[in-house]
Amino acid sequence: MTPHTIIWDFDGTLYPLRPYDSEQTLLRLRRMQLKKWPYRIRRSLAGWLIYGDMHQWFKSRHSRQLYGLLYGWALRGTSVTLLDRAAEEIAALISPEDREALHNLHGNGFRMLIISCGTLDLSERILQKADVLDCFEAVKANPLRLKGGKINGIEPRLVTAEDKLSTAKELICNNPRGVVAVGDGYTDIPLLDWTQYPVMMDPEQSKQPKHAAKPYYFVPSVGALPRLLTQL
């Protein structure tokens, strides 16, 4: 069956990690604001979360739930304007070639969805600043709780890889035929294994040996995906 739907991961897939993902970038900017003595605990927590997330400490459901709780607490009281600063940093990592590829895929009639365990409000701002938000039918992630223009926590709706898979099944009526899934990490594996056309983002060609036993396709960038799709 010809591919007709593309389900994207967000962090590390639609843009490269250099070296932080979107949530780590937001925490880093927040940490820079917490220099006064009364905030030393929250500042230390933000640094610990960045380090732990970069080293994949939070893989299980319980640890992911803990991460979400602490992430929301570390950001509590943050002005939403900080989201825009983080979004500008990440949007700059999406190359013109990748932006053009997304617009071409959308223009060629592909239904495109994003399913992420990240932060919804931040992801949408990044896509908006990169001028590609309109390419996607839906963005599914964890929304922030906002009050008076400030962050007051986060709603944990997509916590694990299994949550991403179940959300995908709901969005495409539990039919993987003709569906392309594009991801880069451990939270994408169940979805990649389920869809008809699993694509692993592998810019450094380091993941292909690890997943050699699986029927994955590998691409170095978003811009390489249209050519792959013409070969399927």
Side-chain angles (χ1 to χ4, degrees):
M1 177 180 288
T2 303
H4 54 73
T5 298
I6 306 174
I7 300 176
W8 298 86
D9 173 47
F10 187 74
D11 293 299
T13 298
L14 283 170
Y15 71 91
L17 304 180
R18 293 178 181 170
Y20 304 107
D21 69 16
S22 59
E23 291 187 339
Q24 293 159 10
T25 297
L26 182 59
L27 283 169
R28 179 174 56 82
L29 293 174
R30 177 56 171 162
R31 191 168 183 266
M32 292 170 63
Q33 292 181 332
L34 299 173
K35 293 182 178 180
K36 294 183 179 179
W37 181 84
Y39 303 112
R40 69 189 189 283
I41 294 177
R42 195 170 298 190
R43 176 181 169 86
S44 297
L45 173 63
W48 180 79
L49 288 173
I50 293 169
Y51 183 86
D53 197 28
M54 292 180 72
H55 289 80
Q56 298 187 357
W57 289 357
F58 309 105
K59 283 189 172 185
S60 70
R61 174 172 291 275
H62 291 307
S63 63
R64 289 299 303 169
Q65 289 172 334
L66 176 62
Y67 170 84
L69 179 67
L70 296 176
Y71 170 75
W73 186 78
L75 294 175
R76 188 168 298 174
T78 303
S79 171
V80 294
T81 58
L82 197 66
L83 295 173
D84 292 318
R85 285 182 55 191
E88 288 174 0
E89 283 195 23
I90 298 297
L93 299 176
I94 304 177
S95 70
E97 294 77 15
D98 288 354
R99 299 181 195 202
E100 182 180 5
L102 292 170
H103 282 291
N104 288 340
L105 290 167
H106 175 66
N108 288 330
F110 281 95
R111 181 190 184 199
M112 299 212 293
L113 312 164
I114 293 175
I115 303 177
S116 169
C117 292
T119 303
L120 176 61
D121 310 69
L122 180 55
S123 299
E124 289 181 333
R125 278 174 164 80
I126 293 167
L127 297 170
Q128 185 68 58
K129 289 185 179 296
D131 194 30
V132 294
L133 180 59
D134 291 343
C135 296
F136 300 96
E137 177 182 312
V139 181
K140 299 294 184 179
N142 302 297
L144 292 170
R145 293 195 297 267
L146 304 176
K147 184 177 181 180
K150 295 186 177 181
I151 298 171
N152 195 40
I154 191 167
E155 296 288 341
R157 297 180 182 176
L158 285 161
V159 177
T160 66
E162 291 70 29
D163 294 335
K164 292 179 74 168
L165 176 58
S166 63
T167 300
K169 289 180 177 180
E170 291 175 6
L171 290 173
I172 59 176
C173 301
N174 202 28
N175 183 4
R177 298 284 292 171
V179 177
V180 180
V182 189
D184 75 304
Y186 65 90
T187 61
D188 304 306
I189 298 302
L191 180 57
L192 291 174
D193 290 344
W194 182 71
T195 51
Q196 184 174 4
Y197 302 108
V199 179
M200 177 72 73
M201 190 64 64
D202 191 14
E204 298 178 356
Q205 298 183 339
S206 60
K207 297 174 184 177
Q208 191 165 355
K210 180 179 178 180
H211 300 286
K214 294 195 173 185
Y216 292 169
Y217 302 92
F218 296 86
V219 294
S221 67
V222 172
L225 186 65
R227 181 178 179 183
L228 171 65
L229 295 181
T230 63
Q231 301 170 356
L232 297 179

